[in-house]
Amino acid sequence: MVKTYNSRLVTVALGTHSVSGFADDSFISIEAVGDGVSSKSGCDGEVARAIDPNEQYSVKITLLQTSNTNAFLQAMYNTDKANGDGTFPILIKDLKGNYVFSADAAWVTKPAGKTFGKETNNREWELQTGQATLNEGTY
């Protein structure tokens, strides 16, 4: 069986803003914030497990420095710092592999670092979400 991934079929919506201008290599990273399932082992070998109820995620989006999404994310960060109204829903879909990630609330944790040089550079934005859902999908 042959399966195909196509980066052009990965879409990201931040509220009504459609993200464009992704970096040329890895451009989205999604990682759970909580501990998931942790365990401890007692001196007699008994094991106790704890399930972390935290359903937050950290999402990193890497963009070309020329992407219009940089201005959108900076504006949302500025709004959040000014009055706390900088949250937005997030939806990430891989239309080929049926991967779907979504959260009703996401926000920019801090502005992307900026590098300038002879060539164009990337901007990496870190977002954090409230409770999120993830459907791994298949290829």
Side-chain angles (χ1 to χ4, degrees), residues 10-101:
V10 175
T11 62
V12 179
L14 306 175
T16 58
H17 179 85
S18 182
V19 177
S20 63
F22 292 113
D24 60 342
D25 194 11
S26 298
F27 56 91
I28 298 174
S29 170
I30 302 170
E31 185 175 332
V33 172
D35 290 332
V37 179
S38 60
S39 63
K40 289 184 181 179
S41 178
C43 291
D44 62 355
E46 183 173 324
V47 176
R49 297 181 342 128
I51 298 174
D52 188 342
N54 188 346
E55 294 180 8
Q56 289 181 276
Y57 282 80
S58 172
V59 177
K60 291 181 182 175
I61 300 175
T62 307
L63 303 168
L64 297 170
Q65 77 181 51
T66 56
S67 170
N68 290 335
T69 300
N70 291 310
F72 170 81
L73 290 169
Q74 185 66 54
M76 295 307 292
Y77 175 78
N78 293 345
T79 298
D80 218 14
K81 289 287 283 186
N83 59 26
D85 290 333
T87 64
F88 45 86
I90 184 171
L91 175 64
I92 300 172
K93 282 186 171 184
D94 178 349
L95 302 175
K96 185 82 173 170
N98 297 318
Y99 178 94
V100 179
F101 173 85

